[in-house]
Amino acid sequence: MPGDKLDSLLKTWEMRDLIKLAKESDGALIKILNAIESDNPDVRLASLSALLELVQNSNWRERKRILELGFDTLVGALSTDDPRVLWRTLAILSALLKNNPLDSSRLLKLVRAITSLADTKNEVVWDELLRVVDSIMAPYIDDGVAGELRRLLQGGTVSEAIIVAMVLLETGAIDRNCWITLVERIAGALLSGEPRLIDAGLVASTKISKLPPVYQMDVLIKELLPALRKTILECDDQIRKARAIEVFDRLRETIVRYYRVRPRKAQRVVEELMRMGLVDEAYMISSAVGTIPPSPLGGYGKRGRL
């Protein structure tokens, strides 16, 4: 189809014809992708709307084709401050990334783009951003990219750090050197007072609860459980509070299972927690291995709940 005809379809939002053309021809798909960079905002939105409908109704092979041809253009579109462009682009990316792994260089390019949006106050954009993170697959990450992700984790804002933390958890690019920082940054999100960051912290905490117990458990006890307990005690939103209780219980079960078969390590941790004043946490571990008698106090601030 001649380019001027395609331009006309974009300007008049003829979605059905645009989608049909994009399915049939790489040339037409590339033309629609290029339109994302148009100076005409209506053309930009039309191209994104057509692509969004296309990817939502495509099979894996079609999504892979679109991702291969359009990755750089779509990531580049995230540099705008137009929320209409942002949420459409993020929705397209989250659909394309499902079951389509990224290599290291593309992963880093994507993470840099989405962390630049991490401080957004637009709830729709934020929600779509989290969906992108949840869709990321990267079976292999080279050392240079992994190091860059860890630097972003350590040096970024609370919003940037929670995004990177979830990417690291999603891809498994965690080592013992960044584990403590990762847990601390997730706890920071929970303690931020911002609902969107608390929710992200709960998602990240849930991901941690599903990991095999190969990392240090004591940092979860010292950092994450107190942050979750504080969230539970201070949260006015009943749905969020219920989620926080569920995550707390998941982590507690993981930690108790770990220390139940490691009584000597448990005793050392209990003594350290008592010195730090983390009595509830110390009681949780000691009761699991039977080192001290139960206390009548406790829970999420009342030890009986633990």
Side-chain angles (χ1 to χ4, degrees):
M1 169 172 278
D4 56 352
K5 178 62 175 177
L6 191 55
D7 289 338
S8 175
L9 292 175
L10 284 165
K11 290 175 182 177
T12 55
W13 286 60
E14 298 290 343
M15 295 300 164
R16 185 173 299 175
D17 291 337
L18 287 169
I19 292 167
K20 184 174 183 293
L21 286 169
K23 284 184 174 182
E24 293 174 351
S25 163
D26 282 355
L29 175 58
I30 291 169
K31 179 77 173 177
I32 294 170
L33 286 164
N34 289 340
I36 295 172
E37 301 172 338
S38 171
D39 293 332
N40 185 327
D42 289 334
V43 170
R44 296 185 75 187
L45 292 177
S47 61
L48 287 167
S49 297
L51 284 169
L52 180 56
E53 188 170 340
L54 174 61
V55 300
Q56 288 176 337
N57 295 284
S58 294
N59 60 31
W60 169 78
R61 288 187 184 279
E62 290 170 333
R63 292 198 306 271
K64 182 175 178 62
R65 166 178 166 258
I66 297 166
L67 183 65
E68 289 303 311
L69 291 172
F71 178 83
D72 289 338
T73 300
L74 289 164
V75 171
L78 297 177
S79 61
T80 184
D81 57 2
D82 185 339
R84 300 171 302 170
V85 171
L86 289 174
W87 78 256
R88 285 176 172 84
T89 305
L90 290 167
I92 291 166
L93 283 167
S94 67
L96 293 178
L97 292 171
K98 288 176 182 174
N99 301 315
N100 279 314
L102 296 174
D103 61 25
S104 289
S105 61
R106 281 190 166 183
L107 174 66
L108 182 58
K109 188 170 187 175
L110 177 64
V111 171
R112 285 172 173 166
I114 59 178
T115 52
S116 72
L117 304 173
D119 291 316
T120 180
K121 302 302 179 185
N122 187 298
E123 291 184 10
V124 175
V125 172
W126 175 256
D127 288 345
E128 291 297 343
L129 193 157
L130 294 186
R131 289 190 183 95
V132 169
V133 173
D134 199 48
S135 299
I136 288 175
M137 294 175 62
Y140 171 76
I141 300 176
D142 66 45
D143 291 341
V145 171
E148 177 68 17
L149 293 178
R150 291 165 193 152
R151 284 190 289 275
L152 285 169
L153 175 72
Q154 185 166 19
T157 65
V158 177
S159 301
E160 292 168 345
I162 192 63
I163 291 297
V164 176
M166 287 194 288
V167 170
L168 290 169
L169 287 166
E170 201 67 39
T171 59
I174 308 167
D175 64 11
R176 296 181 185 277
N177 295 324
C178 79
W179 171 244
I180 293 175
T181 302
L182 182 139
V183 174
E184 289 173 342
R185 297 312 303 257
I186 294 171
L190 291 169
L191 297 172
S192 67
E194 289 192 47
R196 68 188 184 92
L197 296 181
I198 294 171
D199 288 341
L202 292 174
V203 172
S205 298
T206 300
K207 293 181 186 296
I208 283 180
S209 74
K210 297 176 181 178
L211 292 175
V214 296
Y215 302 105
Q216 292 175 251
M217 291 288 108
D218 60 333
V219 69
L220 300 183
I221 305 169
K222 297 171 188 174
E223 299 288 341
L224 206 49
L225 290 188
L228 284 165
R229 183 179 283 109
K230 184 175 175 62
T231 300
I232 292 164
L233 289 172
E234 297 181 356
C235 186
D236 294 327
D237 185 299
Q238 294 306 309
I239 295 176
R240 186 173 292 119
K241 177 177 285 193
R243 288 180 60 210
I245 291 172
E246 180 183 358
V247 175
F248 185 100
D249 288 342
R250 281 175 176 267
L251 283 171
R252 179 187 60 179
E253 290 168 7
T254 298
I255 292 166
V256 166
R257 283 197 304 270
Y258 177 83
Y259 283 108
R260 187 172 285 144
V261 296
R262 297 170 175 85
R264 291 185 180 180
K265 184 177 288 189
Q267 184 59 44
R268 290 196 298 271
V269 169
V270 166
E271 292 170 359
E272 183 180 2
L273 293 171
M274 290 296 288
R275 287 195 299 270
M276 296 173 65
L278 296 174
V279 179
D280 291 313
E281 286 73 15
Y283 174 76
M284 179 184 70
I285 302 304
S286 61
S287 63
V289 297
T291 56
I292 60 174
S295 166
L297 303 176
Y300 309 118
K302 295 184 178 180
R303 235 172 272 134
R305 278 287 277 159
L306 294 177

